Amino acid sequence: MLGSTRESIASAHSIVVKIGSSALTSLVAGLDTHRLDLLADAIEARMRAGSDVVVVSSGAVGAGLAPLGLTKRPRDLATKQAAASVGQLALAHAWGTSFARYGRTVGQVLLTADDIARRTQHRNAQRTLDRLRALHAVAIVNENDTVATTELRFGDNDRLAALVAHLVGADALILLSDVDGLYDGDPRKGDATLIPEVNSPEDLDGVVAGSGGALGTGGMASKLSAARLAADSGVPVLLAAASDAAQALSGADVGTAFAPRPTRLSARRFWVRHAADTSGDLHLDEGAVRAVVSKRRSLLSAGIVGVSGDFHAGDVVSLMGPGEKPVARGVVAFDAAEIEEILGRSTTDLPADMQRPVVHADDLVAL
Ligand SMILES: Nc1ncnc2c1ncn2[C@@H]1O[C@H](COP(=O)(O)OP(=O)(O)O)[C@@H](O)[C@H]1O
Ligand SMILES: N[C@@H](CCC(=O)OP(=O)(O)O)C(=O)O
């Protein structure tokens, strides 16, 4: 199975390559154009071998610090956004200059979480990326940091990269970082062993995914959840060191390979699980949690003990188990005010026009 994961990454026709801040920038030197050139060399080689590549490049905040006289990664959003606006210009310019060595044009694509969550923008972004590919240009994607209204809406670019892989229907996602793969513990904290292959969630038992470096955002936890997200959409993932980019992109046996799930989630359930914002919560009793999580049944009004948020039929809501634990997400079939009226009641006791599941099994994804 895993041999085939590496084989499918090696032979992938459409690839998303995500490059972390730590691979492109440092606090002292800012943007490292030499390292960026080596990455562009490896990407160009893969494109010349016949693959389409979309680049998700972090590093805007890191590249913007020195020009603004800042010596550490800012904590507040406004300074981060100011740094990103300065750094993004430098970053995009550096990618453009680097690929120009090969006569290759780049296009900058800045996305917000909404662009992925809302279906109309989703399609616009998809069309732009597709047309850039058709015109043999390389898309350089980053979060649109300066308009992200709350602290990094995607959370981090690992998640953005996995969503972009889904968006463009990629066959592989390659995450390049300053670490050469997943270890069973944070390698900066002493003895840790590299895990070459992750085939199932059990392979992650006991793994401690720690925080990132001085310039990174999500650390290993965000890479693991991005790998899970990509796996759900059927995309295999390779996590490797940016310094091994040439090997990673040419199919060498480096880093950690994550197998995709055998059957990918439908586009609708993928959207419910990963892309949509939730508008409220339904609180479930133990029996309802068992029904929706273990038995994959629809959620009925009888198992709901509470409702919060002001949502409408058609919105995505979180399903919370006892102890406020999120157990699933789904598209709700009633407004919040209607659910207040029917919660705890059996479906057959409801008026005829309300006798339907609150969340249908087809619209529900366990977490
Ligand atoms: N279990 C682990 N395996 C590998 N690296 C880990 C682990 N836990 C924490 N890390 C740290 O995560 C860092 C990579 O995350 P981050 O700095 O966010 O990277 P990037 O900038 O590439 O997104 C590595 O430098 C490493 O020290
Ligand atoms: N949009 C931000 C990305 C921050 C981010 O996710 O960084 P990383 O964890 O290094 O991928 C930037 O360009 O600085």
PDB file of all heavy atoms in Angstrom, residues 153-187:
ATOM      1  N   ARG A 153      -6.823  33.127   8.996  1.00  0.00           N
ATOM      2  CA  ARG A 153      -8.072  32.400   8.865  1.00  0.00           C
ATOM      3  C   ARG A 153      -7.886  30.935   8.483  1.00  0.00           C
ATOM      4  O   ARG A 153      -8.587  30.073   8.951  1.00  0.00           O
ATOM      5  CB  ARG A 153      -8.976  33.097   7.841  1.00  0.00           C
ATOM      6  CG  ARG A 153      -9.579  34.392   8.346  1.00  0.00           C
ATOM      7  CD  ARG A 153     -10.669  34.134   9.389  1.00  0.00           C
ATOM      8  NE  ARG A 153     -11.724  33.297   8.871  1.00  0.00           N
ATOM      9  CZ  ARG A 153     -12.753  33.728   8.169  1.00  0.00           C
ATOM     10  NH1 ARG A 153     -12.872  34.996   7.899  1.00  0.00           N
ATOM     11  NH2 ARG A 153     -13.682  32.885   7.760  1.00  0.00           N
ATOM     12  N   PHE A 154      -6.942  30.651   7.611  1.00  0.00           N
ATOM     13  CA  PHE A 154      -6.714  29.251   7.266  1.00  0.00           C
ATOM     14  C   PHE A 154      -6.054  28.528   8.433  1.00  0.00           C
ATOM     15  O   PHE A 154      -6.030  27.320   8.470  1.00  0.00           O
ATOM     16  CB  PHE A 154      -5.775  29.125   6.067  1.00  0.00           C
ATOM     17  CG  PHE A 154      -6.466  29.320   4.774  1.00  0.00           C
ATOM     18  CD1 PHE A 154      -6.206  30.410   3.988  1.00  0.00           C
ATOM     19  CD2 PHE A 154      -7.388  28.399   4.327  1.00  0.00           C
ATOM     20  CE1 PHE A 154      -6.837  30.592   2.788  1.00  0.00           C
ATOM     21  CE2 PHE A 154      -8.030  28.568   3.114  1.00  0.00           C
ATOM     22  CZ  PHE A 154      -7.757  29.672   2.353  1.00  0.00           C
ATOM     23  N   GLY A 155      -5.503  29.318   9.359  1.00  0.00           N
ATOM     24  CA  GLY A 155      -4.750  28.693  10.435  1.00  0.00           C
ATOM     25  C   GLY A 155      -3.296  28.620  10.014  1.00  0.00           C
ATOM     26  O   GLY A 155      -2.415  29.020  10.736  1.00  0.00           O
ATOM     27  N   ASP A 156      -3.057  28.195   8.840  1.00  0.00           N
ATOM     28  CA  ASP A 156      -1.685  28.072   8.372  1.00  0.00           C
ATOM     29  C   ASP A 156      -1.711  27.640   6.911  1.00  0.00           C
ATOM     30  O   ASP A 156      -2.726  27.204   6.389  1.00  0.00           O
ATOM     31  CB  ASP A 156      -0.940  27.033   9.204  1.00  0.00           C
ATOM     32  CG  ASP A 156      -1.674  25.712   9.114  1.00  0.00           C
ATOM     33  OD1 ASP A 156      -1.461  25.024   8.110  1.00  0.00           O
ATOM     34  OD2 ASP A 156      -2.478  25.409  10.005  1.00  0.00           O
ATOM     35  N   ASN A 157      -0.559  27.735   6.278  1.00  0.00           N
ATOM     36  CA  ASN A 157      -0.523  27.420   4.850  1.00  0.00           C
ATOM     37  C   ASN A 157      -0.508  25.928   4.548  1.00  0.00           C
ATOM     38  O   ASN A 157      -0.697  25.537   3.396  1.00  0.00           O
ATOM     39  CB  ASN A 157       0.695  28.098   4.208  1.00  0.00           C
ATOM     40  CG  ASN A 157       0.351  29.499   3.738  1.00  0.00           C
ATOM     41  OD1 ASN A 157      -0.802  29.936   3.857  1.00  0.00           O
ATOM     42  ND2 ASN A 157       1.330  30.193   3.198  1.00  0.00           N
ATOM     43  N   ASP A 158      -0.280  25.091   5.556  1.00  0.00           N
ATOM     44  CA  ASP A 158      -0.375  23.641   5.303  1.00  0.00           C
ATOM     45  C   ASP A 158      -1.819  23.311   4.938  1.00  0.00           C
ATOM     46  O   ASP A 158      -2.093  22.571   3.998  1.00  0.00           O
ATOM     47  CB  ASP A 158       0.053  22.840   6.546  1.00  0.00           C
ATOM     48  CG  ASP A 158       1.489  23.119   6.909  1.00  0.00           C
ATOM     49  OD1 ASP A 158       2.345  23.090   6.018  1.00  0.00           O
ATOM     50  OD2 ASP A 158       1.756  23.394   8.101  1.00  0.00           O
ATOM     51  N   ARG A 159      -2.737  23.884   5.718  1.00  0.00           N
ATOM     52  CA  ARG A 159      -4.165  23.675   5.453  1.00  0.00           C
ATOM     53  C   ARG A 159      -4.562  24.282   4.102  1.00  0.00           C
ATOM     54  O   ARG A 159      -5.279  23.671   3.309  1.00  0.00           O
ATOM     55  CB  ARG A 159      -4.964  24.312   6.594  1.00  0.00           C
ATOM     56  CG  ARG A 159      -6.451  24.255   6.424  1.00  0.00           C
ATOM     57  CD  ARG A 159      -7.103  24.634   7.752  1.00  0.00           C
ATOM     58  NE  ARG A 159      -8.409  25.228   7.567  1.00  0.00           N
ATOM     59  CZ  ARG A 159      -9.496  24.560   7.198  1.00  0.00           C
ATOM     60  NH1 ARG A 159      -9.423  23.267   6.964  1.00  0.00           N
ATOM     61  NH2 ARG A 159     -10.644  25.172   7.058  1.00  0.00           N
ATOM     62  N   LEU A 160      -4.061  25.502   3.851  1.00  0.00           N
ATOM     63  CA  LEU A 160      -4.340  26.137   2.552  1.00  0.00           C
ATOM     64  C   LEU A 160      -3.866  25.236   1.410  1.00  0.00           C
ATOM     65  O   LEU A 160      -4.583  25.022   0.427  1.00  0.00           O
ATOM     66  CB  LEU A 160      -3.648  27.510   2.485  1.00  0.00           C
ATOM     67  CG  LEU A 160      -3.694  28.221   1.130  1.00  0.00           C
ATOM     68  CD1 LEU A 160      -5.124  28.498   0.692  1.00  0.00           C
ATOM     69  CD2 LEU A 160      -2.925  29.540   1.181  1.00  0.00           C
ATOM     70  N   ALA A 161      -2.666  24.685   1.567  1.00  0.00           N
ATOM     71  CA  ALA A 161      -2.108  23.843   0.505  1.00  0.00           C
ATOM     72  C   ALA A 161      -2.974  22.604   0.282  1.00  0.00           C
ATOM     73  O   ALA A 161      -3.217  22.195  -0.856  1.00  0.00           O
ATOM     74  CB  ALA A 161      -0.680  23.436   0.854  1.00  0.00           C
ATOM     75  N   ALA A 162      -3.466  22.006   1.368  1.00  0.00           N
ATOM     76  CA  ALA A 162      -4.309  20.813   1.219  1.00  0.00           C
ATOM     77  C   ALA A 162      -5.631  21.185   0.548  1.00  0.00           C
ATOM     78  O   ALA A 162      -6.156  20.430  -0.276  1.00  0.00           O
ATOM     79  CB  ALA A 162      -4.548  20.171   2.578  1.00  0.00           C
ATOM     80  N   LEU A 163      -6.177  22.363   0.880  1.00  0.00           N
ATOM     81  CA  LEU A 163      -7.417  22.798   0.229  1.00  0.00           C
ATOM     82  C   LEU A 163      -7.175  23.101  -1.247  1.00  0.00           C
ATOM     83  O   LEU A 163      -8.011  22.806  -2.108  1.00  0.00           O
ATOM     84  CB  LEU A 163      -7.993  24.028   0.942  1.00  0.00           C
ATOM     85  CG  LEU A 163      -8.615  23.756   2.323  1.00  0.00           C
ATOM     86  CD1 LEU A 163      -8.934  25.059   3.049  1.00  0.00           C
ATOM     87  CD2 LEU A 163      -9.878  22.907   2.196  1.00  0.00           C
ATOM     88  N   VAL A 164      -6.017  23.688  -1.551  1.00  0.00           N
ATOM     89  CA  VAL A 164      -5.697  23.969  -2.952  1.00  0.00           C
ATOM     90  C   VAL A 164      -5.531  22.655  -3.719  1.00  0.00           C
ATOM     91  O   VAL A 164      -5.986  22.525  -4.863  1.00  0.00           O
ATOM     92  CB  VAL A 164      -4.428  24.856  -3.063  1.00  0.00           C
ATOM     93  CG1 VAL A 164      -3.906  24.908  -4.493  1.00  0.00           C
ATOM     94  CG2 VAL A 164      -4.733  26.274  -2.574  1.00  0.00           C
ATOM     95  N   ALA A 165      -4.923  21.661  -3.072  1.00  0.00           N
ATOM     96  CA  ALA A 165      -4.755  20.352  -3.732  1.00  0.00           C
ATOM     97  C   ALA A 165      -6.127  19.787  -4.094  1.00  0.00           C
ATOM     98  O   ALA A 165      -6.334  19.243  -5.179  1.00  0.00           O
ATOM     99  CB  ALA A 165      -3.989  19.390  -2.822  1.00  0.00           C
ATOM    100  N   HIS A 166      -7.082  19.944  -3.179  1.00  0.00           N
ATOM    101  CA  HIS A 166      -8.453  19.495  -3.451  1.00  0.00           C
ATOM    102  C   HIS A 166      -9.057  20.307  -4.593  1.00  0.00           C
ATOM    103  O   HIS A 166      -9.675  19.773  -5.513  1.00  0.00           O
ATOM    104  CB  HIS A 166      -9.265  19.644  -2.172  1.00  0.00           C
ATOM    105  CG  HIS A 166     -10.715  19.315  -2.341  1.00  0.00           C
ATOM    106  ND1 HIS A 166     -11.159  18.030  -2.550  1.00  0.00           N
ATOM    107  CD2 HIS A 166     -11.810  20.101  -2.357  1.00  0.00           C
ATOM    108  CE1 HIS A 166     -12.469  18.050  -2.678  1.00  0.00           C
ATOM    109  NE2 HIS A 166     -12.890  19.285  -2.571  1.00  0.00           N
ATOM    110  N   LEU A 167      -8.842  21.639  -4.510  1.00  0.00           N
ATOM    111  CA  LEU A 167      -9.418  22.571  -5.495  1.00  0.00           C
ATOM    112  C   LEU A 167      -8.967  22.256  -6.914  1.00  0.00           C
ATOM    113  O   LEU A 167      -9.751  22.291  -7.858  1.00  0.00           O
ATOM    114  CB  LEU A 167      -8.976  23.989  -5.106  1.00  0.00           C
ATOM    115  CG  LEU A 167      -9.657  25.178  -5.711  1.00  0.00           C
ATOM    116  CD1 LEU A 167     -11.033  25.349  -5.088  1.00  0.00           C
ATOM    117  CD2 LEU A 167      -8.839  26.456  -5.451  1.00  0.00           C
ATOM    118  N   VAL A 168      -7.677  21.958  -7.083  1.00  0.00           N
ATOM    119  CA  VAL A 168      -7.167  21.728  -8.441  1.00  0.00           C
ATOM    120  C   VAL A 168      -7.192  20.249  -8.816  1.00  0.00           C
ATOM    121  O   VAL A 168      -6.729  19.862  -9.888  1.00  0.00           O
ATOM    122  CB  VAL A 168      -5.724  22.296  -8.650  1.00  0.00           C
ATOM    123  CG1 VAL A 168      -5.696  23.786  -8.425  1.00  0.00           C
ATOM    124  CG2 VAL A 168      -4.703  21.594  -7.765  1.00  0.00           C
ATOM    125  N   GLY A 169      -7.721  19.415  -7.915  1.00  0.00           N
ATOM    126  CA  GLY A 169      -7.758  17.975  -8.205  1.00  0.00           C
ATOM    127  C   GLY A 169      -6.366  17.391  -8.343  1.00  0.00           C
ATOM    128  O   GLY A 169      -6.104  16.566  -9.231  1.00  0.00           O
ATOM    129  N   ALA A 170      -5.441  17.822  -7.464  1.00  0.00           N
ATOM    130  CA  ALA A 170      -4.052  17.358  -7.562  1.00  0.00           C
ATOM    131  C   ALA A 170      -3.945  15.864  -7.253  1.00  0.00           C
ATOM    132  O   ALA A 170      -4.790  15.301  -6.549  1.00  0.00           O
ATOM    133  CB  ALA A 170      -3.175  18.157  -6.595  1.00  0.00           C
ATOM    134  N   ASP A 171      -2.892  15.249  -7.758  1.00  0.00           N
ATOM    135  CA  ASP A 171      -2.640  13.825  -7.477  1.00  0.00           C
ATOM    136  C   ASP A 171      -1.655  13.662  -6.325  1.00  0.00           C
ATOM    137  O   ASP A 171      -1.417  12.541  -5.871  1.00  0.00           O
ATOM    138  CB  ASP A 171      -2.006  13.114  -8.684  1.00  0.00           C
ATOM    139  CG  ASP A 171      -2.722  13.407  -9.972  1.00  0.00           C
ATOM    140  OD1 ASP A 171      -3.948  13.311  -9.972  1.00  0.00           O
ATOM    141  OD2 ASP A 171      -2.051  13.746 -10.970  1.00  0.00           O
ATOM    142  N   ALA A 172      -1.017  14.749  -5.906  1.00  0.00           N
ATOM    143  CA  ALA A 172      -0.064  14.640  -4.794  1.00  0.00           C
ATOM    144  C   ALA A 172       0.159  16.016  -4.174  1.00  0.00           C
ATOM    145  O   ALA A 172       0.049  17.043  -4.853  1.00  0.00           O
ATOM    146  CB  ALA A 172       1.269  14.079  -5.279  1.00  0.00           C
ATOM    147  N   LEU A 173       0.453  15.990  -2.871  1.00  0.00           N
ATOM    148  CA  LEU A 173       0.798  17.220  -2.144  1.00  0.00           C
ATOM    149  C   LEU A 173       2.163  16.998  -1.515  1.00  0.00           C
ATOM    150  O   LEU A 173       2.380  15.989  -0.831  1.00  0.00           O
ATOM    151  CB  LEU A 173      -0.256  17.481  -1.056  1.00  0.00           C
ATOM    152  CG  LEU A 173       0.061  18.566  -0.024  1.00  0.00           C
ATOM    153  CD1 LEU A 173       0.186  19.945  -0.670  1.00  0.00           C
ATOM    154  CD2 LEU A 173      -1.030  18.614   1.062  1.00  0.00           C
ATOM    155  N   ILE A 174       3.082  17.926  -1.773  1.00  0.00           N
ATOM    156  CA  ILE A 174       4.417  17.806  -1.176  1.00  0.00           C
ATOM    157  C   ILE A 174       4.626  19.002  -0.242  1.00  0.00           C
ATOM    158  O   ILE A 174       4.542  20.156  -0.677  1.00  0.00           O
ATOM    159  CB  ILE A 174       5.510  17.753  -2.276  1.00  0.00           C
ATOM    160  CG1 ILE A 174       5.266  16.529  -3.172  1.00  0.00           C
ATOM    161  CG2 ILE A 174       6.904  17.718  -1.655  1.00  0.00           C
ATOM    162  CD1 ILE A 174       6.296  16.319  -4.268  1.00  0.00           C
ATOM    163  N   LEU A 175       4.832  18.717   1.053  1.00  0.00           N
ATOM    164  CA  LEU A 175       5.057  19.773   2.040  1.00  0.00           C
ATOM    165  C   LEU A 175       6.553  19.849   2.315  1.00  0.00           C
ATOM    166  O   LEU A 175       7.140  18.870   2.795  1.00  0.00           O
ATOM    167  CB  LEU A 175       4.309  19.456   3.345  1.00  0.00           C
ATOM    168  CG  LEU A 175       2.784  19.289   3.284  1.00  0.00           C
ATOM    169  CD1 LEU A 175       2.242  18.826   4.645  1.00  0.00           C
ATOM    170  CD2 LEU A 175       2.114  20.603   2.874  1.00  0.00           C
ATOM    171  N   LEU A 176       7.164  20.980   1.995  1.00  0.00           N
ATOM    172  CA  LEU A 176       8.605  21.127   2.220  1.00  0.00           C
ATOM    173  C   LEU A 176       8.841  22.063   3.399  1.00  0.00           C
ATOM    174  O   LEU A 176       8.318  23.179   3.438  1.00  0.00           O
ATOM    175  CB  LEU A 176       9.277  21.677   0.956  1.00  0.00           C
ATOM    176  CG  LEU A 176       9.173  20.769  -0.281  1.00  0.00           C
ATOM    177  CD1 LEU A 176       9.760  21.452  -1.503  1.00  0.00           C
ATOM    178  CD2 LEU A 176       9.856  19.420  -0.036  1.00  0.00           C
ATOM    179  N   SER A 177       9.641  21.581   4.351  1.00  0.00           N
ATOM    180  CA  SER A 177       9.820  22.326   5.586  1.00  0.00           C
ATOM    181  C   SER A 177      11.298  22.363   5.960  1.00  0.00           C
ATOM    182  O   SER A 177      12.161  22.021   5.152  1.00  0.00           O
ATOM    183  CB  SER A 177       8.990  21.647   6.679  1.00  0.00           C
ATOM    184  OG  SER A 177       9.059  22.376   7.875  1.00  0.00           O
ATOM    185  N   ASP A 178      11.601  22.753   7.206  1.00  0.00           N
ATOM    186  CA  ASP A 178      12.996  22.728   7.652  1.00  0.00           C
ATOM    187  C   ASP A 178      13.311  21.424   8.370  1.00  0.00           C
ATOM    188  O   ASP A 178      14.377  21.251   8.927  1.00  0.00           O
ATOM    189  CB  ASP A 178      13.291  23.932   8.564  1.00  0.00           C
ATOM    190  CG  ASP A 178      12.469  23.899   9.834  1.00  0.00           C
ATOM    191  OD1 ASP A 178      11.471  23.159   9.890  1.00  0.00           O
ATOM    192  OD2 ASP A 178      12.827  24.626  10.782  1.00  0.00           O
ATOM    193  N   VAL A 179      12.342  20.512   8.404  1.00  0.00           N
ATOM    194  CA  VAL A 179      12.557  19.219   9.045  1.00  0.00           C
ATOM    195  C   VAL A 179      12.372  18.147   7.968  1.00  0.00           C
ATOM    196  O   VAL A 179      11.599  18.342   7.023  1.00  0.00           O
ATOM    197  CB  VAL A 179      11.577  19.054  10.245  1.00  0.00           C
ATOM    198  CG1 VAL A 179      10.134  18.955   9.796  1.00  0.00           C
ATOM    199  CG2 VAL A 179      11.950  17.882  11.125  1.00  0.00           C
ATOM    200  N   ASP A 180      13.123  17.036   8.087  1.00  0.00           N
ATOM    201  CA  ASP A 180      13.147  16.090   6.964  1.00  0.00           C
ATOM    202  C   ASP A 180      12.070  15.015   7.051  1.00  0.00           C
ATOM    203  O   ASP A 180      12.188  13.963   6.421  1.00  0.00           O
ATOM    204  CB  ASP A 180      14.539  15.463   6.807  1.00  0.00           C
ATOM    205  CG  ASP A 180      14.984  14.734   8.061  1.00  0.00           C
ATOM    206  OD1 ASP A 180      14.265  14.828   9.084  1.00  0.00           O
ATOM    207  OD2 ASP A 180      16.039  14.087   8.037  1.00  0.00           O
ATOM    208  N   GLY A 181      11.023  15.260   7.839  1.00  0.00           N
ATOM    209  CA  GLY A 181       9.916  14.309   7.904  1.00  0.00           C
ATOM    210  C   GLY A 181       9.260  14.377   9.267  1.00  0.00           C
ATOM    211  O   GLY A 181       9.594  15.224  10.105  1.00  0.00           O
ATOM    212  N   LEU A 182       8.314  13.462   9.460  1.00  0.00           N
ATOM    213  CA  LEU A 182       7.621  13.374  10.748  1.00  0.00           C
ATOM    214  C   LEU A 182       8.433  12.485  11.689  1.00  0.00           C
ATOM    215  O   LEU A 182       8.846  11.386  11.314  1.00  0.00           O
ATOM    216  CB  LEU A 182       6.225  12.767  10.537  1.00  0.00           C
ATOM    217  CG  LEU A 182       5.453  12.425  11.816  1.00  0.00           C
ATOM    218  CD1 LEU A 182       5.039  13.693  12.553  1.00  0.00           C
ATOM    219  CD2 LEU A 182       4.228  11.568  11.494  1.00  0.00           C
ATOM    220  N   TYR A 183       8.639  12.968  12.909  1.00  0.00           N
ATOM    221  CA  TYR A 183       9.315  12.179  13.947  1.00  0.00           C
ATOM    222  C   TYR A 183       8.297  11.800  15.016  1.00  0.00           C
ATOM    223  O   TYR A 183       7.216  12.405  15.095  1.00  0.00           O
ATOM    224  CB  TYR A 183      10.459  12.987  14.559  1.00  0.00           C
ATOM    225  CG  TYR A 183      11.683  13.073  13.662  1.00  0.00           C
ATOM    226  CD1 TYR A 183      11.691  13.910  12.553  1.00  0.00           C
ATOM    227  CD2 TYR A 183      12.808  12.293  13.904  1.00  0.00           C
ATOM    228  CE1 TYR A 183      12.799  13.977  11.712  1.00  0.00           C
ATOM    229  CE2 TYR A 183      13.919  12.353  13.080  1.00  0.00           C
ATOM    230  CZ  TYR A 183      13.911  13.198  11.978  1.00  0.00           C
ATOM    231  OH  TYR A 183      15.010  13.253  11.154  1.00  0.00           O
ATOM    232  N   ASP A 184       8.661  10.836  15.845  1.00  0.00           N
ATOM    233  CA  ASP A 184       7.702  10.450  16.900  1.00  0.00           C
ATOM    234  C   ASP A 184       7.633  11.503  18.003  1.00  0.00           C
ATOM    235  O   ASP A 184       6.737  11.466  18.841  1.00  0.00           O
ATOM    236  CB  ASP A 184       8.006   9.045  17.450  1.00  0.00           C
ATOM    237  CG  ASP A 184       9.412   8.911  17.990  1.00  0.00           C
ATOM    238  OD1 ASP A 184      10.167   9.913  17.949  1.00  0.00           O
ATOM    239  OD2 ASP A 184       9.771   7.804  18.437  1.00  0.00           O
ATOM    240  N   GLY A 185       8.555  12.436  18.012  1.00  0.00           N
ATOM    241  CA  GLY A 185       8.518  13.563  18.953  1.00  0.00           C
ATOM    242  C   GLY A 185       9.259  14.724  18.319  1.00  0.00           C
ATOM    243  O   GLY A 185       9.916  14.552  17.279  1.00  0.00           O
ATOM    244  N   ASP A 186       9.160  15.906  18.917  1.00  0.00           N
ATOM    245  CA  ASP A 186       9.813  17.086  18.353  1.00  0.00           C
ATOM    246  C   ASP A 186      11.330  16.859  18.330  1.00  0.00           C
ATOM    247  O   ASP A 186      11.954  16.743  19.383  1.00  0.00           O
ATOM    248  CB  ASP A 186       9.464  18.304  19.219  1.00  0.00           C
ATOM    249  CG  ASP A 186       9.935  19.599  18.588  1.00  0.00           C
ATOM    250  OD1 ASP A 186      10.861  19.552  17.754  1.00  0.00           O
ATOM    251  OD2 ASP A 186       9.382  20.657  18.945  1.00  0.00           O
ATOM    252  N   PRO A 187      11.941  16.775  17.129  1.00  0.00           N
ATOM    253  CA  PRO A 187      13.377  16.466  17.067  1.00  0.00           C
ATOM    254  C   PRO A 187      14.263  17.523  17.750  1.00  0.00           C
ATOM    255  O   PRO A 187      15.393  17.230  18.112  1.00  0.00           O
ATOM    256  CB  PRO A 187      13.670  16.398  15.563  1.00  0.00           C
ATOM    257  CG  PRO A 187      12.501  17.017  14.886  1.00  0.00           C
ATOM    258  CD  PRO A 187      11.326  16.935  15.807  1.00  0.00           C
TER     259      PRO A 187
END
